[in-house]
Amino acid sequence: MENLVFILLSLLAVLGGLGTVSMRNPVHSVLCLLLTMLCLAGHYILLQAPFMAAVQIIVYAGAIIILFLFVIVLLNLRDDVLKRRTLPMGRLYYIPAGLAVMLVLTGLFRAGSNWISGGPAPEGTIEALGMELFTKWVYPFELTGVLLLAAMVGAVAMTRRDKEEG
Amino acid sequence: MKAAWITTALLALHSLSAARDWTQPTLAERAAEAAGRSPWESAFWIGLGLAGTLAAMTLLGLSLVYAERKIAARFQCRLGPTRVGWRGTLQTLADTFKLISKADLVPRDADRLLFFTAPWLVVSGMLLALVNIPASPLLFVVDLNIGLLFISAVGALSVLGILLGGWASNNKWSLLGSMRAGAQIISYELSLTLSLLVIVLFTGSLSLGEIVQSQQEGWWLWRGHLPAMVAFLVFVIASTAELNRTPFDLAEGESELTAGFHTEYSGLRFALFYLAEFLNMFIAAGLAATLFLGGWMPLHIAGLQTFNRVMDFIPPLVWFGLKTGGLIFVFMWLRWTFPRLRIDQLLKLEWRFLLPLSMVNLLVAALVLLLGVYGKGGPA
């Protein structure tokens, strides 16, 4: 049963990933990314980490995907712009991508028959997570906070216009 | 299977009498417990939960729309619907049939797939939140240990539905409406979540069941002192904005945007948007009742033994209904009293006033908790 859910979620996630890179319309592309993110949240639930799942949905589906949508919708890309979209020497990019796929596949085959279940994870409670985060990892946690704040201030400063201009 | 039926009947009777024992397994817990014994019994509980949620959704949708029309009419010195059924009670049912039987128009240049999925995204976000609301110890489908977090997570689906609906319609009004709705919901989500966190801080739990249990001694609105009251006010204001209701209904400001993100929607799909809007109001009110007003816990006043006994005899479902209904009335009252804000006023209110206020409030709540002054005073 669990394996069935896992395989279904993984298939959907891979499908979403493929859609993300292959869709012509950027909005459809973003939605495929959303599908992948939701499936990953499902994986977290299978791994007994409901908190991570909820955070995954809040952060990715709730914030990042919506931000992407805002940007894409506001850019108002027309069809002729979208058709011209090719990278220089596009074929060359297949090589690292193919290598990465081969690496993952090799890993899968080497892991043998029990590749699906990595064994049960210890059940993660929010209390345990909080204790870890705010005792053992408090410095990295606070530093990350400061880093994010700096990024936010930077973004505001960059978009800010002086009064005379505005 | 027979046992399941008998227990349901007994539990229904039990819920009518005064339930002193508040700890009842939720439907999901019953299903999980029965899964090992007999898959049929497990399926029965799951089916009961699903059917109950859908029935509740329909019933609430119909009655909330009716209540809104009647209350709006009273505020404007009108009578509201009077013709269909007793005092117009069947008016919304008739309107539903009308909506379903209407021609289903899709704009020629719409993104058909997204146009069709958007309303369902909104409705599924709403349904996922609805199953978490504890209406009574028995009418409680799922009690997730991350309940509150889950509710704010699935709220994202509704925002996505609104954004996509507006974009897929390929109409400037729809797009503008959905952008406004998106910006507004994301902004007010911040102070909404911060006000929820105050209660999480006091309770030490994200599970809605445990939050209700923690209020046996007294509602958080009183027991949490000033921070809880401020959080309650912030919650009501922010959720009015989240619901896109007046004075924050810029997303569908008729005078400028026709009908906002659902301008192009007709028939059943419009009905879905409309239903989700009203049920989200119910969810917001139910959440506020659960967090701040003790959920289905009866009102107790310390020292008044007889009064407390009498209050205990009122079933939990009635308590929940009264509290939620009262809050829904407040939402409707606000809607028909205040004029609409401008978009800049709306965003200023959130970012310059509500957000700093709720951040300071959270800090004060943490201080109150650390100094150990909570739990005294007020009705206990």
Side-chain angles (χ1 to χ4, degrees):
Chain A
M1 181 63 191
E2 215 159 274
N3 282 355
L4 192 75
V5 176
F6 173 79
I7 291 174
L8 213 70
L9 282 174
S10 308
L11 275 181
L12 276 175
V14 172
L15 218 71
L18 284 177
T20 310
V21 291
S22 58
M23 287 286 177
R24 274 263 164 233
N25 189 327
V27 173
H28 293 171
S29 197
V30 165
L31 284 182
C32 287
L33 189 62
L34 172 71
L35 180 68
T36 309
M37 295 304 177
L38 290 181
C39 290
L40 288 185
H43 278 159
Y44 282 129
I45 289 175
L46 281 186
L47 288 171
Q48 313 275 339
F51 179 73
M52 284 304 290
V55 169
Q56 165 94 0
I57 296 180
I58 291 176
V59 171
Y60 286 98
I64 293 188
I65 299 277
I66 289 178
L67 197 69
F68 281 176
L69 270 181
F70 259 81
V71 172
I72 291 170
V73 170
L74 283 179
L75 278 179
N76 191 19
L77 298 165
R78 289 188 315 274
D79 284 346
D80 52 321
V81 182
L82 291 174
K83 285 203 181 99
R84 274 195 276 117
R85 190 186 48 159
T86 44
L87 291 170
M89 305 217 293
R91 295 278 159 87
L92 275 184
Y93 292 98
Y94 290 168
I95 297 173
L99 280 177
V101 170
M102 259 183 65
L103 205 69
V104 173
L105 280 180
T106 326
L108 277 185
F109 284 118
R110 281 179 69 90
S113 58
N114 58 351
W115 56 277
I116 285 183
S117 64
E123 194 170 337
T125 60
I126 308 162
E127 288 87 356
L129 188 78
M131 284 311 279
E132 278 285 290
L133 207 59
F134 287 104
T135 52
K136 198 171 166 192
W137 304 103
V138 66
Y139 287 115
F141 178 78
E142 294 292 338
L143 281 178
T144 321
V146 173
L147 194 68
L148 284 176
L149 186 68
M152 245 155 68
V153 171
V156 172
M158 272 162 72
T159 50
R160 193 192 162 100
R161 282 195 209 128
D162 290 328
K163 281 245 165 82
E164 303 91 72
E165 279 181 54
Chain B
M1 194 57 193
K2 209 180 213 172
W5 280 110
I6 293 170
T7 28
T8 329
L10 279 178
L11 290 173
L13 270 179
H14 184 66
S15 77
L16 285 176
S17 70
R20 286 295 333 205
D21 178 22
W22 301 127
T23 43
Q24 297 278 347
T26 59
L27 292 180
E29 277 165 15
R30 286 174 214 274
E33 191 200 337
R37 274 203 313 277
S38 106
W40 290 110
E41 204 186 321
S42 178
F44 166 78
W45 289 116
I46 294 174
L48 190 72
L50 287 178
T53 312
L54 286 177
M57 184 186 83
T58 324
L59 213 68
L60 282 171
L62 289 177
S63 44
L64 283 176
V65 175
Y66 173 74
E68 174 102 294
R69 291 184 65 177
K70 270 295 191 194
I71 289 173
R74 290 292 164 183
F75 274 103
Q76 297 169 343
C77 302
R78 294 184 285 120
L79 287 176
T82 50
R83 295 296 175 87
V84 192
W86 182 74
R87 304 208 166 185
T89 31
L90 295 178
Q91 182 67 50
T92 23
L93 194 66
D95 284 347
T96 314
F97 283 119
K98 184 195 76 179
L99 273 175
I100 292 172
S101 60
K102 265 190 167 178
D104 183 24
L105 298 172
V106 182
R108 197 188 56 207
D109 287 333
D111 189 319
R112 292 184 73 88
L113 181 69
L114 294 186
F115 190 79
F116 292 154
T117 27
W120 294 105
L121 264 180
V122 175
V123 167
S124 58
M126 176 273 289
L127 264 180
L128 283 174
L130 188 64
V131 289
N132 285 287
I133 300 291
S136 89
L138 298 164
L139 277 176
F140 191 4
V141 184
V142 197
D143 184 15
L144 295 172
N145 65 347
I146 51 157
L148 267 182
L149 207 60
F150 182 80
I151 290 183
S152 48
V154 293
L157 285 182
S158 308
V159 189
L160 275 170
I162 288 175
L163 273 179
L164 290 176
W167 183 79
S169 306
N170 211 347
N171 172 328
K172 282 187 181 120
W173 289 309
S174 304
L175 185 62
L176 278 175
S178 68
M179 300 301 278
R180 277 186 184 181
Q184 183 176 329
I185 294 175
I186 292 175
S187 308
Y188 279 83
E189 186 91 42
L190 296 173
S191 36
L192 192 80
T193 317
L194 284 174
S195 63
L196 294 182
L197 276 182
V198 171
I199 298 303
V200 174
L201 209 61
F202 283 142
T203 338
S205 168
L206 287 168
S207 140
L208 288 171
E210 278 174 34
I211 289 176
V212 176
Q213 295 291 348
S214 73
Q215 297 179 83
Q216 203 159 4
E217 315 276 287
W219 304 352
W220 282 121
L221 186 61
W222 319 121
R223 215 148 53 101
H225 294 293
L226 195 64
M229 288 181 197
V230 175
F232 179 67
L233 284 180
V234 171
F235 183 89
V236 170
I237 296 173
S239 48
T240 316
E242 288 256 310
L243 297 165
N244 289 328
R245 290 175 68 83
T246 328
F248 306 105
D249 68 336
L250 290 135
E252 43 191 284
E254 297 89 344
S255 46
E256 30 196 299
L257 291 176
T258 324
F261 61 89
H262 55 60
T263 304
E264 295 288 0
Y265 282 90
S266 59
L268 183 63
R269 284 187 202 91
F270 169 75
L272 287 178
F273 273 126
Y274 206 60
L275 179 77
E277 219 173 286
F278 274 89
L279 276 159
N280 278 329
M281 178 169 70
F282 171 79
I283 290 168
L287 212 55
T290 305
L291 292 176
F292 298 99
L293 304 182
W296 37 255
M297 285 285 176
L299 171 71
H300 279 184
I301 295 175
L304 295 180
Q305 283 295 327
T306 331
F307 177 77
N308 292 349
R309 289 277 162 73
V310 174
M311 289 295 125
D312 277 344
F313 258 99
I314 302 173
L317 187 60
V318 175
W319 276 113
F320 177 79
L322 282 177
K323 291 168 185 173
T324 313
L327 285 168
I328 287 176
F329 179 74
V330 170
F331 280 134
M332 293 181 175
W333 190 1
L334 290 178
R335 173 164 182 180
W336 298 106
T337 307
F338 288 115
R340 186 181 296 144
L341 293 177
R342 277 198 326 260
I343 186 84
D344 59 319
Q345 292 171 329
L346 172 125
L347 291 176
K348 229 175 239 169
L349 174 70
E350 161 64 16
W351 293 98
R352 298 225 175 129
F353 178 67
L354 279 185
L355 186 59
L357 176 69
S358 37
M359 274 182 172
V360 170
N361 188 41
L362 187 62
L363 278 179
V364 172
L367 266 178
V368 165
L369 197 66
L370 277 179
L371 297 177
V373 278
Y374 94 88
K376 290 179 222 152

